[in-house]
Amino acid sequence: MSGIFNLSRRKFCQAGMLAGGGLILGFYLPGLDRAAAAAPPIEGTFAPNAFLKIGTDDLVTVIVNHSEMGQGVYTALPMLVAEELDADWSKVRFEAAPVDPVYNHALWGMQATGGSTSTWTEYERLRQAGATARAMLIAAAAAAWKVAPSSLRAEQGQVVHTASGRRLTYGQLAEKAAGLAPPKNVKLKDPKNFKLIGKPAKRLDTPEKVNGQGVYGLDVKVSGLLTALIARPPVFGGKVKSFDAEKAKAVPGVRQVVQIDRGIAVVAEGFWAAKRGREALGIVWDEGPQAGLDSRKQREQFAELAAQPGAVAKQKGDADAALAGAAKKIEAIYELPYLAHAPMEPLNCVADVRGGSCEIWVGTQFQTGDRDTAVEITGLKPGQVKLHTMLLGGGFGRRAVPDSHFVREAVQVSKAVKAPVKVVWTREDDIRGGYYRPVVYHAIAAGLDGAGHPVTWRHRIVCQSFTVDTPFEGAMMEHGVDASAVEGARGLPYEIPNLLVDWKRAPGAVPCLWWRSVGHSHNAFVVESFFDEVARAAGKDPYEFRRALLKNHPRHKRALELAAQKAGWGKPLPPGMGRGLAVHESFKSFVAQVAEVSVSKEGKIRVHRVVCAIDCGPVVNPDTIAAQMESGIVFGLSAALYGEITFANGRVQQRNFHDYPVLRINEMPVVEVHIVSSKDAMGGVGETGVPPIAPAVANAIFAATGRRIRRLPIRGEDLKKV
Amino acid sequence: MIKLKVNRKEYTVDINPETPLLWVLRENLGLTGTKFGCGMALCGACTVHLDGEAVRSCVTPVARAEGKEITTIEGLSLDSGHPLQQAWIAEDVPQCGYCMSGQIMSAAVLLRENPRPADADIDAAMAGNICRCGAYQRIRRAIHLAARIQGQGGGR
Ligand code: FES
Ligand code: FES
């Protein structure tokens, strides 16, 4: 990165960016260096560009360009800056970045949070920013004391003159440093000298999350704010035929009823009035082409599609011929349902479109797209749209929507009523609102030779694509294959000479989206469950069988071995219990899990313990890694045990946490997380705990009962002893 | 007109008496620490205390709270000094944090009734509070720690 420049010398500082003066450091992405040299701001954008602020009060504020949705970026990313800055951690604060190209995701050309990428993509450039600021503070002290910079050192938020012991705090140096040009090449620390990185750090956002002070999108207060609920079609693709605005307006507190793209908005003084008003709308819907959508029929349709060849995602040797010639054939069908993300905070967005400006407050993972959507609706310039990223009460992908629909609704409603409006989704709106993990149907087969070695693996994945016809199509489609459908299946790590993985595209009946771990969420279940079947068919121990075939995948192997060792693989368990394992690579990390499960006679499953090992390369905050593994395991268990969105007559059959249950504390297994000490490439942690848990549990159920789970969620009827 | 006493302060609000307490707290009184998660008494995000008992404010008509002492997360302690809040910080329990007001308000009643809860007691008392981020293991740990802090008279 070469684009660090000192914003304090530019107009932004005079414009009062930092009350009391101080040092502000910004940076540009390599591709934007020219723009930086030519003195931006870029046409039509508001460009404070501040990335790191050090105030005369000694506070170091890191402006974080990734959204905090629980995964800990408001701590991990400031740690990167603070490490190289030698900051006093107790003086470090965070602030959500505004929308500006300087805050774009390092790889994606847009401001966004997802793909478990936040920490590893920022690892270099945030440390660089910290190191640059540190060099400037040292230079400022050197000038003040008229000594050589090399006679100085930085520690705990101070510059120290080693010979005399004189000290100045960063706050005392901030204004002097603000007048300096940033050095071109700063040296980053040798990791062995890290003081913060790699050690557990307390989250910076915890205090405001235990006293009710943290502000989520739903908590935003704006003077004159109205609340809107939107009636959306009960069948995806439906349209409004008629409605009774007067009946809704007759409800006390309802102010206006407006029709927008996605339905009818009832705008009221508060939530309750808006909800009552919405119930009074008496909408007649044109249900459209999906009125007959039915999960059972869809299952038959997918089975037919699975009989047809798909687009080839990965091919090695001749999988079909090898299967025909195999001494032993194993074949299975695996099925997974639509899943709702159900973040704890239902979707919402506040928009205020008035008098040539648009202000938005929202918990989003897709700032740039949301801002651009507001530009498109209002006709304003990007610089006239101000988007504030609030705390996200969970994201899991649901707040990263290419069509920005939940922002679009709020902007449209506010524009229509010329007042600030908060669009609130009820839990029912959320569960029934689509953008699910797609339904997936897998047809899979493997063959063993006479000695029990696997010689072929053939895996067909049938599901819709949710990236075709979105701006992500270019990035996701490779040779006619949607990468998000086959990830976690095409890169089979096991050494098998013949391999075919293909994808058959199913019709997109329902809006779908990335759901925490995306394609890995279903592919890991199928691959790791079926591999267990193959191991059993070969008469081998599933752990040893994996190890033997992972000889060219040392990171998989290390994670697997650590998990197995910590779990006591092979040690006897009480009767009725079983142990299962799975290992999976996703988002550049390698996670193995061993689950201990019991199944009652009635078919009730209890997961007692999960031992998890992760190799995510160099570690930033080990406590966050542990928390994310715990979190991913709970998320994956909720789906494996309960998660299912189904359709009848075109309508979603679930609506709230009673019929879309999630794991509760009384079902929480003991989770142990072990981190592989690793110098390999850094990977992600936000999603990577999810994929292995469903197969680990299913394999444990097999060990306990001899019953093989081939569809999720796990059903009592698939467990009853025959 | 409905008279409410929330966190030891008196308020008068002009509102439909059927309106759930949750929305009155959040919208009329600006106390947004109490969260909306389901609206059906299924998730516990909206938990507050009515005369010391944990209730789901999303299904409690505001009229039912009249004349009672209402306590929300904002009124649980001065400066986050409740043993649970101290323990939550020590164990870094929150992830997204959205469920945590409700978790802490439910746990506060548990700790008052049962100063030394076992895991099974915690499970029973806290099963009504969903944490979609799955912080359950830390919630358990933090409740045990809070019990110790409380036992040593360490609350503020
Ligand atoms: S919002 Fe009241 S219990 Fe869920
Ligand atoms: S911390 Fe996110 S729901 Fe509990």
Side-chain angles (χ1 to χ4, degrees):
Chain A
M1 186 192 61
S2 51
I4 291 186
F5 64 101
N6 185 347
L7 289 163
S8 319
R9 305 167 85 198
R10 303 164 66 90
K11 281 207 220 69
F12 318 115
C13 191
Q14 291 152 25
M17 265 297 300
L18 191 56
L23 172 64
I24 307 178
L25 268 195
F27 67 98
Y28 275 95
L29 298 179
L32 293 168
D33 284 353
R34 261 175 302 116
I42 294 146
E43 228 287 290
T45 61
F46 169 62
N49 293 351
F51 165 63
L52 163 63
K53 299 188 283 190
I54 301 175
T56 48
D57 55 3
D58 284 335
L59 290 183
V60 172
T61 305
V62 176
I63 290 89
V64 183
N65 63 336
H66 288 269
S67 306
E68 178 60 65
M69 44 193 176
Q71 84 283 40
V73 284
Y74 279 1
T75 306
L77 299 188
M79 281 173 81
L80 301 180
V81 175
E83 176 67 63
E84 294 289 345
L85 183 61
D86 282 313
D88 173 353
W89 182 243
S90 71
K91 298 267 163 49
V92 177
R93 305 288 182 271
F94 63 84
E95 204 174 283
V99 184
D100 189 279
V102 296
Y103 296 120
N104 278 355
H105 188 285
L107 301 176
W108 297 346
M110 60 185 281
Q111 200 169 326
T113 305
S116 301
T117 58
S118 300
T119 303
W120 68 261
T121 57
E122 297 298 345
Y123 192 56
E124 283 294 319
R125 70 170 172 179
L126 288 189
R127 284 187 301 142
Q128 200 89 35
T132 304
R134 177 180 171 276
M136 292 166 76
L137 290 158
I138 287 180
W145 290 327
K146 303 201 171 48
V147 297
S150 57
S151 67
L152 305 178
R153 65 177 203 271
E155 64 181 32
Q156 285 285 313
Q158 299 184 336
V159 178
V160 186
H161 183 235
T162 307
S164 68
R166 273 179 297 180
R167 288 166 183 266
L168 283 169
T169 69
Y170 288 177
Q172 290 165 331
L173 290 165
E175 275 184 304
K176 275 198 193 68
L180 302 175
K184 278 266 160 358
N185 298 308
V186 287
K187 227 177 130 238
L188 296 181
K189 287 184 184 174
D190 184 323
K192 72 174 193 291
N193 298 322
F194 283 163
K195 296 192 181 76
L196 279 170
I197 294 177
K199 311 207 167 59
K202 285 266 166 269
R203 289 179 66 130
L204 297 177
D205 56 347
T206 296
E208 66 179 84
K209 288 177 172 175
V210 302
N211 62 10
Q213 297 308 308
V215 183
Y216 299 81
L218 200 63
D219 304 333
V220 168
K221 295 173 185 126
V222 179
S223 144
L225 184 65
L226 298 171
T227 300
L229 262 67
I230 295 173
R232 303 177 186 87
V235 175
F236 293 112
K239 299 243 162 0
V240 176
K241 251 198 215 149
S242 66
F243 63 101
D244 192 340
E246 293 317 309
K247 275 231 181 77
K249 282 196 219 159
V251 172
V254 172
R255 296 277 192 83
Q256 294 198 52
V257 174
V258 293
Q259 183 159 10
I260 58 166
D261 291 355
R262 283 169 46 87
I264 311 292
V266 176
V267 187
E269 280 155 20
F271 175 90
W272 196 242
K275 183 159 184 279
R276 304 260 319 270
R278 183 170 74 169
E279 285 157 8
L281 275 172
I283 305 176
V284 179
W285 299 97
D286 169 358
E287 296 188 356
Q290 301 297 345
L293 184 63
D294 181 292
S295 290
R296 275 166 309 171
K297 283 191 220 142
Q298 189 184 46
R299 191 177 177 197
E300 290 161 22
Q301 183 193 14
F302 274 52
E304 277 165 33
L305 288 170
Q308 302 162 24
V312 174
K314 181 90 186 235
Q315 191 164 21
K316 199 169 69 173
D318 189 337
D320 285 323
L323 193 63
K328 191 164 187 179
K329 265 193 250 184
I330 310 108
E331 286 177 292
I333 299 295
Y334 279 82
E335 296 166 89
L336 296 98
Y338 291 115
L339 292 171
H341 304 68
M344 206 68 236
E345 178 195 19
L347 294 180
N348 60 82
C349 177
V350 174
D352 186 0
V353 184
R354 278 184 299 182
S357 78
C358 172
E359 203 161 351
I360 296 167
W361 294 261
V362 64
T364 180
Q365 298 176 241
F366 264 13
Q367 286 82 354
T368 308
D370 293 345
R371 194 270 319 269
D372 292 349
T373 296
V375 166
E376 169 211 315
I377 296 167
T378 58
L380 297 169
K381 294 223 169 67
Q384 295 167 298
V385 176
K386 197 168 173 194
L387 185 146
H388 308 268
T389 302
M390 311 310 295
L391 288 176
L392 280 63
F396 316 124
R398 184 64 184 91
R399 289 182 153 94
V401 289
D403 63 7
S404 294
H405 57 269
F406 64 96
V407 174
R408 180 179 298 273
E409 291 174 342
V411 173
Q412 286 180 336
V413 177
S414 174
K415 187 180 172 210
V417 303
K418 301 186 177 59
V421 173
K422 180 186 287 178
V423 171
V424 179
W425 293 50
T426 62
R427 178 58 59 196
E428 290 78 6
D429 294 341
D430 169 67
I431 298 286
R432 300 191 157 172
Y435 298 85
Y436 305 126
R437 199 286 303 279
V439 152
V440 198
Y441 190 97
H442 295 253
I444 190 161
L448 300 174
D449 67 14
H453 297 302
V455 289
T456 184
W457 180 274
R458 204 188 63 186
H459 186 174
R460 177 162 302 148
I461 300 160
V462 183
C463 66
Q464 73 178 77
S465 167
F466 54 80
T467 58
V468 169
D469 300 329
T470 75
F472 295 88
E473 178 170 341
M476 287 297 185
M477 292 299 284
E478 296 161 20
H479 310 294
V481 177
D482 186 333
S484 73
V486 299
E487 60 184 6
R490 67 175 166 188
L492 187 78
Y494 303 112
E495 225 48 64
I496 299 178
N498 300 287
L499 174 80
L500 175 63
V501 179
D502 62 2
W503 173 60
K504 183 74 189 163
R505 187 176 165 190
V510 170
C512 283
L513 195 60
W514 21 67
W515 179 98
R516 196 177 190 177
S517 80
V518 201
H520 298 280
S521 72
H522 53 91
N523 286 321
F525 172 65
V526 176
V527 168
E528 282 298 286
S529 296
F530 188 65
F531 193 79
D532 219 71
E533 293 200 48
V534 175
R536 302 285 178 174
K540 304 263 172 63
D541 173 81
Y543 168 62
E544 294 301 342
F545 197 56
R546 281 179 172 80
R547 277 188 70 219
L549 293 172
L550 283 173
K551 54 177 184 289
N552 293 324
H553 288 82
R555 297 186 75 182
H556 285 81
K557 203 167 153 206
R558 276 203 309 255
L560 181 73
E561 287 171 347
L562 182 59
Q565 176 218 327
K566 297 285 182 185
W569 183 263
K571 293 217 180 93
L573 282 169
M577 285 192 72
R579 204 183 265 127
L581 59 74
V583 58
H584 190 77
E585 174 192 0
S586 64
F587 309 99
K588 296 159 61 82
S589 286
F590 301 76
V591 179
Q593 291 167 5
V594 178
E596 285 171 17
V597 173
S598 65
V599 182
S600 74
K601 273 201 221 61
E602 298 73 42
K604 181 85 189 127
I605 297 153
R606 170 99 206 175
V607 182
H608 298 265
R609 175 176 179 234
V610 178
V611 178
C612 174
I614 174 168
D615 174 1
C616 57
V619 165
V620 175
N621 189 355
D623 197 45
T624 292
I625 295 172
Q628 283 310 295
M629 291 303 107
E630 292 165 25
S631 175
I633 287 165
V634 172
F635 204 79
L637 266 181
S638 290
L641 298 177
Y642 307 118
E644 181 174 38
I645 294 288
T646 56
F647 288 84
N649 299 319
R651 286 161 169 76
V652 176
Q653 292 180 289
Q654 293 72 27
R655 64 189 181 105
N656 208 314
F657 289 121
H658 62 294
D659 50 13
Y660 190 78
V662 297
L663 206 80
R664 292 175 182 269
I665 196 168
N666 54 317
E667 302 159 299
M668 179 71 194
V670 172
V671 175
E672 293 167 29
V673 179
H674 304 278
I675 300 172
V676 176
S677 157
S678 167
K679 288 201 171 70
D680 290 318
M682 191 185 278
V685 300
E687 296 166 273
T688 51
V690 178
I693 188 64
V697 167
N699 294 339
I701 289 172
F702 182 84
T705 66
R707 308 289 296 176
R708 183 57 68 181
I709 302 298
R710 297 197 186 90
R711 43 178 192 153
L712 295 183
I714 299 166
R715 289 165 174 80
E717 71 217 53
D718 292 342
L719 284 171
K720 280 199 211 94
K721 296 240 159 58
V722 272
Chain B
M1 286 296 171
I2 292 190
K3 281 201 167 62
L4 294 174
K5 193 167 172 204
V6 186
N7 303 332
R8 297 170 293 278
K9 257 176 87 178
E10 315 259 2
Y11 299 86
T12 309
V13 281
D14 180 11
I15 191 95
N16 173 352
E18 284 166 30
T19 309
L21 175 61
L22 169 66
W23 299 104
V24 178
L25 293 171
R26 290 181 52 84
E27 296 176 343
N28 300 75
L29 310 187
L31 295 170
T32 51
T34 305
K35 304 301 187 197
F36 167 58
C38 70
M40 281 180 71
L42 296 166
C43 77
C46 64
T47 306
V48 300
H49 299 174
L50 269 198
D51 283 345
E53 290 313 311
V55 300
R56 310 297 186 217
S57 64
C58 68
V59 293
T60 305
V62 62
R64 243 180 53 206
E66 230 182 337
K68 301 211 160 88
E69 296 269 352
I70 305 164
T71 307
T72 69
I73 185 74
E74 290 92 343
L76 183 66
S77 68
L78 301 166
D79 68 21
S80 300
H82 191 283
L84 285 163
Q85 290 168 312
Q86 294 182 43
W88 246 244
I89 291 170
E91 296 288 348
D92 250 346
V93 177
Q95 293 190 24
C96 84
Y98 191 79
C99 70
M100 291 301 167
S101 301
Q103 304 278 2
I104 291 170
M105 295 308 279
S106 291
V109 174
L110 166 68
L111 269 198
R112 193 194 61 217
E113 311 271 298
N114 182 351
R116 278 280 169 196
D119 276 347
D121 303 321
I122 293 172
D123 284 0
M126 302 298 292
N129 287 78
I130 291 173
C131 176
R132 187 66 170 132
C133 298
Y136 297 127
Q137 181 157 294
R138 285 161 194 250
I139 291 172
R140 273 190 201 146
R141 261 205 323 253
I143 292 176
H144 288 305
L145 174 60
R148 289 200 295 277
I149 296 172
Q150 177 177 276
Q152 293 154 7
R156 292 197 300 271

